[in-house]
Amino acid sequence: EAGVAQSPRYKIIEKRQSVAFWCNPISGHATLYWYQQILGQGPKLLIQFQNNGVVDDSQLPKDRFSAERLKGVDSTLKIQPAKLEDSAVYLCASSFMRDDQQFFGPGTRLTVL
Amino acid sequence: GENVEQHPSTLSVQEGDSAVIKCTYSDSASNYFPWYKQELGKRPQLIIDIRSNVGEKKDQRIAVTLNKTAKHFSLHITETQPEDSAVYFCAASWGLGGGADGLTFGKGTHLIIQP
């Protein structure tokens, strides 16, 4: 079974620039999550999708972050404009259904200079 | 919202000894408690999980215990080996208890196995 795929793996940008991350969940997984992991901390949930609908985005900084999951499969997370404090690893996870084991992708390491 | 506290932040044990990591949570509605292992530069990997209708679960050298009354759960690793060295995260979620089920993570424990 193929795992959760993410790209790019690394990204370096200047502050105030824009950046987008892509996630392809495990085939058949209806639930998709984006987490932000700052160095030395545990992952923090940003947004949760069930198919193509948003279940929870209460911790997403909506003034600069946006996410979508068109057609209920792939998802993109965008930051515009980026700030220094956005430097982190952005992890995508998926599960077959809600309340099921979550499988994590390799993450995208973002550095904002 | 949910808050998860994890202790200790660093744990050093001799190879072959046992290691215990403890977490407390704040939301009594939480009913799913997974533990993840994360090696440097790698993705978090689920090692064991427990649901609120179970008090203890074991998988070979790894066990998790849950005390819902006290709102705390613990990870126990016996006969530790060098490959157990990593950062371990506990987490909690509502599951299908009525709310969203994204995980709230603790800050992690860096487990060091001394040869």
Side-chain angles (χ1 to χ4, degrees):
Chain A
E1 175 181 87
V4 177
Q6 290 187 246
S7 68
R9 293 295 313 278
Y10 305 91
K11 190 73 177 180
I12 300 174
I13 61 173
E14 300 279 338
K15 61 182 178 184
R16 291 187 289 274
Q17 286 187 324
S18 301
V19 64
F21 313 127
W22 173 82
C23 172
N24 180 234
I26 293 172
S27 178
H29 281 197
T31 313
L32 185 146
Y33 310 80
W34 283 101
Y35 291 87
Q36 178 194 57
Q37 186 174 23
I38 293 173
L39 187 65
Q41 298 182 21
K44 172 188 167 185
L45 179 70
L46 293 176
I47 189 166
Q48 176 186 350
F49 291 95
Q50 178 67 19
N51 296 309
N52 61 349
V54 175
V55 174
D56 180 13
D57 63 357
S58 59
Q59 299 189 92
L60 186 73
K62 298 179 187 66
D63 58 333
R64 297 185 301 105
F65 286 64
S66 64
E68 61 182 10
R69 191 183 184 198
L70 300 176
K71 301 180 183 179
V73 182
D74 294 2
S75 177
T76 56
L77 176 69
K78 297 179 181 178
I79 307 175
Q80 180 179 10
K83 293 185 175 181
L84 297 177
E85 58 261 37
D86 298 333
S87 293
V89 175
Y90 290 84
L91 293 162
C92 178
S94 71
S95 61
F96 179 66
M97 55 190 293
R98 290 181 64 181
D99 197 34
D100 204 0
Q101 176 185 344
Q102 295 182 28
F103 294 85
F104 283 82
T108 296
R109 182 177 298 277
L110 173 67
T111 301
V112 182
L113 302 175
Chain B
E2 176 65 277
N3 182 51
V4 177
E5 299 283 341
Q6 183 171 348
H7 300 280
S9 57
T10 303
L11 178 60
S12 181
V13 302
Q14 291 293 127
E15 182 179 350
D17 288 350
S18 296
V20 180
I21 302 171
K22 299 182 178 181
C23 289
T24 61
Y25 60 99
S26 61
D27 193 337
S28 56
S30 291
N31 59 12
Y32 176 59
F33 308 93
W35 286 87
Y36 283 85
K37 175 183 180 181
Q38 189 174 32
E39 297 177 34
L40 190 62
K42 300 287 183 65
R43 73 190 76 188
Q45 299 268 17
L46 180 76
I47 56 171
I48 196 166
D49 58 10
I50 193 167
R51 296 189 183 270
S52 59
N53 58 344
V54 176
E56 183 174 357
K57 185 176 178 180
K58 189 174 182 180
D59 182 5
Q60 299 184 336
R61 296 186 298 109
I62 295 173
V64 58
T65 58
L66 171 65
N67 184 328
K68 282 222 74 178
T69 302
K71 289 191 283 188
H72 69 70
F73 56 114
S74 301
L75 177 71
H76 305 253
I77 305 174
T78 59
E79 301 172 9
T80 53
Q81 300 169 3
E83 54 265 36
D84 294 330
S85 294
V87 178
Y88 291 80
F89 292 98
C90 62
S93 80
W94 288 13
L96 285 174
D101 36 60
L103 296 170
T104 299
F105 283 83
K107 291 189 175 181
T109 295
H110 185 193
L111 177 62
I112 302 166
I113 307 301
Q114 304 279 8

